[in-house]
Amino acid sequence: MSSINWSSSDLQAFAALVQTRHFTRAAERCHLSQSAFSQKIRRLESMVGVRLFERSTRQVSLTPEGEQLSREVLRIERELQQALGQLSDLAGLRAGRVAVAALPSIAAVWLPQLLARWRALHPQVTLTLHDSLAHVGLALLREGKVDLALTAGGDLREFETELLRTEPYWLVCPGGHRLAARRRVHWADLAGEEVIQLARSSSVRQQLDRLAAAQVLRSSPLEVEQLATLAALVRAGLGVSLVPELTLFHFRGPGLAAVPLAEPELTRPLWLARRKGQALSVAAQAFRGLLLEAVSASS
Amino acid sequence: MSSINWSSSDLQAFAALVQTRHFTRAAERCHLSQSAFSQKIRRLESMVGVRLFERSTRQVSLTPEGEQLSREVLRIERELQQALGQLSDLAGLRAGRVAVAALPSIAAVWLPQLLARWRALHPQVTLTLHDSLAHVGLALLREGKVDLALTAGGDLREFETELLRTEPYWLVCPGGHRLAARRRVHWADLAGEEVIQLARSSSVRQQLDRLAAAQVLRSSPLEVEQLATLAALVRAGLGVSLVPELTLFHFRGPGLAAVPLAEPELTRPLWLARRKGQALSVAAQAFRGLLLEAVSASS
DNA sequence: CACACTTACGATATTCGTAAGGATT
DNA sequence: AATCCTTACGAATATCGTAAGTGTG
């Protein structure tokens, strides 16, 4: 089981000599003195235990054993060099892929410009985005289908997390509502208001339900899944709603107003989650860096 | 184009760490101090430009890049080690093949015991024998189908040759012939004898034709190809013949006699021929060694 | 504090280049 | 004589092991 100890430079020297059949020129190609090159070949030969080249003064030729080796080695050396080169590409962000899951609100507000910047910086690294509800995104993360998940609230104990920021909630109401012109509202202001809720599966609803203060609110019998629907209902005067800041873009148009909720206990934490005990790829680290930078710049 | 300079020990260290996920144990497996091993991994990482292992105090795990490399490298390293090992086998005569062409007479007299010895010495090296007439054997050599050719006379200028020995010619005649009991015969003794010749393509005939002295002989109209036929004709009293020593085994039986021809100018040179400018394989060299040994022992 | 990886540093082994040697055309 | 590979030997480099350092459970 005496395994032979060769180095890549040995194999390159061998390959160079196979191609040139000339020690001096092969040595030049390897950036070595002709003498050092000669020694290298000699060492390689003594390692494998057989003469690989026939040196008849004016002619360098392969022995049968040398030919056999050349057939194998040239291919293998190329493969290995390629594998290592590919790795350098990954490390240098000249290749690779990152997959990210993000809540629709985050995907819509933060990611567009982030994706554009990513494209500009690392055009050869594929960035895949899954805009899914919290539980779907976390499932993707759990299965390793994505490197990172951008999510809000929920049970994240099985993951490693970083708090990106917390965002306040806003009251959304019809444009002519009595609170529409206020600069901010408190719980007390909401007494008697009919609040349209999102479906129980949404992260927003789950957080509101946990809040004792929310009990003072009068819940509307309406429950919707899509924020666009919610906006339409509010605009039609069927009630008001409480939504996190990042979703406000749904409530811009005419006939609607949004007022910040001045209650410190109702904020939504936005997390960057990754798998525990699993290092990020270089590309994923780069994405995270860009994300943190963007978040800190926007606050 | 900065190609990375790694060595087999680097790759083995990497493989060991992938398998054990434990520096100390992997170092032992590589017969290295734990410190040297750590440096080795660090060097490898800095060469490819990316962290390959995640060392979290009590846990060694692969980074995504490390995993990618492990998939490729373990396979490639094995292939290369195998190619080099195979070469060692060839060098150590634990594998390989030799092909030899030999004239039928040589094949019949010298080679049987030589083949037996070869089997005993190098059972794992396949030895192929082609017993063919001179021109066929040389064609095989020219095409590289055989490593060596054992032949006699002929035009060998295109090959590299070694003279193994020269063998005398013998007169073969019927048992009751007037020369049958002689200890040796000269050209003069053959005057008036009818000499049965071999076909013009045989190396024996070609040599006899070149010999001026042979002109004194009376040629029989009979021309045969097979020595066995010749023996039968001589036994039947249809003439005598001149044959090289190595073919005498055809003329042993009753009713036949053989007498050495005491003419120094009529001997047959036996050559070992190989291709010019083409080194012999280790196995072929070994065969040549064995052959020379056997030849010098038999003379 | 015991285990496991990293760092420091002197010792050893490899590999390199210059220069001389030898062989062939 | 010119070309080309090998050998000799001191210098530079790389690698190793011992021992001390660091960090975590």
Side-chain angles (χ1 to χ4, degrees), chain A residues 1 9 21 36 63 69 80 94 103 130 141 172 185 210 212 215 219 223 227 241:
Chain A
M1 209 61 235
S9 58
R21 316 237 159 172
T63 62
L69 186 63
L80 187 45
R94 291 181 300 280
L103 290 182
H130 296 260
L141 183 60
V172 289
V185 293
R210 268 199 297 283
Q215 302 308 322
S219 269
E223 273 192 13
L227 287 165
S241 192

Coordinates of all heavy atoms in Angstrom, one line a residue, chain A residues 1 9 21 36 63 69 80 94 103 130 141 172 185 210 212 215 219 223 227 241:
Chain A
M1 N 0.8 -1.2 0.0 CA 0.0 0.0 0.0 C 0.9 1.2 0.0 O 0.5 2.3 0.6 CB -0.9 0.0 1.2 CG -2.2 0.7 1.0 SD -3.2 0.0 -0.3 CE -3.5 1.4 -1.3
S9 N 3.0 19.9 -9.8 CA 4.1 20.3 -10.7 C 4.8 19.2 -11.3 O 5.3 19.3 -12.5 CB 5.1 21.2 -9.9 OG 5.6 20.4 -8.8
R21 N 8.6 16.8 -26.0 CA 9.7 15.8 -26.2 C 11.1 16.5 -26.2 O 11.9 16.2 -27.1 CB 9.5 15.0 -27.5 CG 8.0 14.6 -27.6 CD 7.9 13.1 -27.8 NE 6.5 12.8 -27.4 CZ 6.0 11.6 -27.6 NH1 6.8 10.6 -28.1 NH2 4.8 11.3 -27.2
A36 N 16.8 21.6 -13.0 CA 15.7 21.3 -12.0 C 14.7 20.4 -12.7 O 14.1 19.5 -12.1 CB 15.1 22.6 -11.5
T63 N 8.8 5.7 -23.2 CA 8.8 4.3 -23.1 C 7.4 3.8 -23.2 O 6.4 4.6 -23.0 CB 9.4 3.8 -21.8 OG1 8.6 4.3 -20.7 CG2 10.8 4.4 -21.6
L69 N 1.1 5.9 -19.0 CA 0.9 6.9 -18.0 C 0.4 8.2 -18.7 O -0.6 8.8 -18.2 CB 2.2 7.2 -17.3 CG 2.0 8.1 -16.1 CD1 1.1 7.5 -15.0 CD2 3.3 8.5 -15.4
L80 N -8.7 17.3 -12.5 CA -8.4 17.8 -11.2 C -8.2 19.4 -11.2 O -8.8 20.1 -10.4 CB -7.2 17.1 -10.6 CG -6.9 17.4 -9.1 CD1 -8.2 17.4 -8.3 CD2 -6.0 16.4 -8.6
R94 N -17.2 34.1 -9.4 CA -17.3 34.1 -10.9 C -18.1 32.9 -11.3 O -18.3 32.6 -12.5 CB -15.9 33.9 -11.5 CG -15.0 35.2 -11.3 CD -13.6 35.0 -11.9 NE -13.0 33.8 -11.3 CZ -12.3 33.8 -10.2 NH1 -12.2 35.0 -9.5 NH2 -11.7 32.8 -9.7
L103 N -40.4 36.5 2.4 CA -41.8 36.8 2.5 C -42.2 37.8 1.3 O -41.4 38.6 0.9 CB -42.2 37.5 3.8 CG -42.1 36.7 5.0 CD1 -42.5 37.5 6.2 CD2 -43.0 35.5 4.9
H130 N -37.3 32.8 -4.0 CA -38.6 32.2 -3.8 C -39.4 33.2 -2.9 O -39.1 33.4 -1.8 CB -38.5 30.9 -3.0 CG -37.8 29.8 -3.8 ND1 -38.4 28.8 -4.5 CD2 -36.4 29.6 -3.9 CE1 -37.5 28.1 -5.0 NE2 -36.3 28.5 -4.7
L141 N -35.9 26.2 3.5 CA -34.6 26.3 4.3 C -34.3 25.0 5.0 O -33.1 24.6 4.9 CB -34.7 27.5 5.3 CG -33.4 27.8 6.0 CD1 -32.3 28.2 5.1 CD2 -33.7 28.9 7.0
V172 N -54.5 51.2 8.4 CA -55.0 51.7 7.0 C -56.5 51.8 7.1 O -57.2 51.0 7.7 CB -54.6 50.6 5.9 CG1 -53.1 50.7 5.7 CG2 -55.0 49.2 6.3
V185 N -51.7 57.2 15.5 CA -52.8 56.7 16.3 C -52.4 55.8 17.4 O -51.3 55.1 17.3 CB -53.8 55.9 15.4 CG1 -54.5 56.9 14.4 CG2 -53.2 54.8 14.8
R210 N -51.6 37.3 19.4 CA -50.8 37.2 20.6 C -50.9 38.4 21.5 O -50.5 38.4 22.7 CB -49.3 36.9 20.3 CG -49.0 35.4 20.2 CD -47.6 35.1 20.4 NE -46.8 35.7 19.3 CZ -46.7 35.2 18.1 NH1 -47.3 34.1 17.8 NH2 -46.0 35.8 17.1
A212 N -52.4 41.1 23.7 CA -53.6 41.2 24.5 C -54.4 42.5 24.1 O -55.6 42.6 24.1 CB -53.2 41.3 26.0
Q215 N -57.3 42.7 21.9 CA -58.6 42.2 22.3 C -59.7 43.4 22.3 O -60.8 43.1 22.2 CB -58.6 41.5 23.6 CG -57.6 40.3 23.7 CD -57.8 39.3 22.6 OE1 -59.0 39.1 22.2 NE2 -56.7 38.8 22.0
S219 N -63.4 42.7 15.9 CA -62.9 42.0 14.7 C -64.1 42.0 13.7 O -65.2 41.6 14.1 CB -62.5 40.6 15.1 OG -61.1 40.6 15.3
E223 N -62.3 37.7 6.7 CA -60.9 37.3 6.8 C -60.4 37.1 5.4 O -61.0 36.3 4.6 CB -60.8 35.9 7.5 CG -60.7 36.1 9.0 CD -60.3 34.8 9.7 OE1 -59.9 33.9 8.9 OE2 -60.4 34.7 10.9
L227 N -53.3 40.7 0.4 CA -53.3 42.1 0.9 C -54.1 43.0 -0.1 O -54.7 44.0 0.2 CB -51.9 42.6 1.1 CG -51.2 42.0 2.3 CD1 -49.7 42.2 2.3 CD2 -51.8 42.7 3.6
S241 N -57.8 48.3 8.9 CA -56.9 47.2 9.2 C -55.5 47.7 9.7 O -55.2 48.8 9.6 CB -56.7 46.3 8.0 OG -56.1 45.1 8.3

